[in-house]
Amino acid sequence: MKLPTVLQAFAGGNEKVAIEATTVGEAFAQLEREHPALRRRLTDEQGALRRHVNVYLGNDNIRDLDGLDTQLPDDAELLVLPSVAGG
């Protein structure tokens, strides 16, 4: 899983985190177990992906696929992109 600079501090400064999972939801659960500070920034209290967080599997936003139930092929790379407001 690839993290943008804004989230790297919550994952021990890592740009990439190796995750073994079969679905996006499992990947997020593992990520949050290993890096608990990320939980609040990525998912809500019910475990749903926050509205301002976009996750891409290849070129596809997982919201356009099966969301957190999206199956991950072997060697898949997820890219997490939280929306950033500003002007």
Side-chain angles (χ1 to χ4, degrees):
M1 185 175 294
K2 188 171 181 181
L3 301 171
T5 304
V6 70
L7 293 177
Q8 291 173 16
F10 304 105
N14 297 307
E15 177 183 354
K16 289 188 177 184
V17 178
I19 302 280
E20 290 190 30
T22 58
T23 67
V24 174
E26 288 176 11
F28 269 71
Q30 181 181 345
L31 180 67
E32 292 171 352
R33 279 192 304 275
E34 294 177 10
H35 304 285
L38 282 172
R39 184 200 179 287
R40 211 181 75 189
R41 287 152 184 86
L42 301 176
T43 57
D44 63 20
E45 294 75 22
Q46 290 77 37
L49 193 61
R50 292 194 179 275
R51 289 184 313 160
H52 70 276
V53 176
N54 293 299
V55 180
Y56 291 88
L57 175 59
N59 293 325
D60 297 314
N61 188 322
I62 65 160
R63 293 180 199 281
D64 298 329
L65 301 171
D66 290 324
L68 294 175
D69 293 327
T70 300
Q71 294 291 310
L72 297 175
D74 292 340
D75 299 325
E77 182 170 278
L78 291 173
L79 172 61
V80 178
L81 291 175
S83 298
V84 179

